[in-house]
Amino acid sequence: LRDFKNIHLYILGDGPLFDDLKKKSSKVGFNVTLVKRIDNQDVAKFFSDKDFFLLPTLEEGNSKVLLEAMASGLIVLTNNLEC
């Protein structure tokens, strides 16, 4: 946790928190890029050079993007939902 200079966080989605996240992203100690949308044909290319995929949700069960991240070989982190 000492050196955040090598961290680059991508936040994907155009939800109701997008504008707030955009404002707050400039205040963290590492690089943050907000991406509203990725076309379906570009998902695999986007994931190809990433290390992790984080899906912090309380509402999505088996999302398509989660499956795409796993298919791309990413380490996937999510919460344990009891359905």
Side-chain angles (χ1 to χ4, degrees):
L1 296 175
R2 293 174 285 169
D3 185 14
F4 290 118
K5 293 177 185 172
N6 293 327
I7 293 176
H8 195 130
L9 175 66
Y10 292 87
I11 300 175
L12 307 177
D14 189 16
L17 298 176
F18 185 86
D19 291 331
D20 191 40
L21 286 171
K22 188 172 185 176
K23 290 176 192 173
K24 291 180 180 180
S25 68
S26 64
K27 298 175 184 172
V28 297
F30 50 88
N31 295 314
V32 178
T33 301
L34 281 84
V35 180
K36 286 188 175 188
R37 178 168 166 39
I38 298 174
D39 291 330
N40 288 341
Q41 68 268 15
D42 297 329
V43 171
K45 183 178 178 182
F46 180 82
F47 284 158
S48 67
D49 64 344
K50 308 304 183 282
D51 297 314
F52 299 94
F53 177 81
L54 175 63
L55 182 65
T57 183
L58 296 175
E59 300 190 16
E60 290 190 61
N62 191 14
S63 69
K64 182 178 175 184
V65 71
L66 181 66
L67 297 173
E68 291 169 330
M70 289 189 293
S72 296
L74 292 176
I75 296 169
V76 173
L77 304 169
T78 189
N79 53 328
N80 185 9
L81 292 176
E82 293 190 29
C83 300

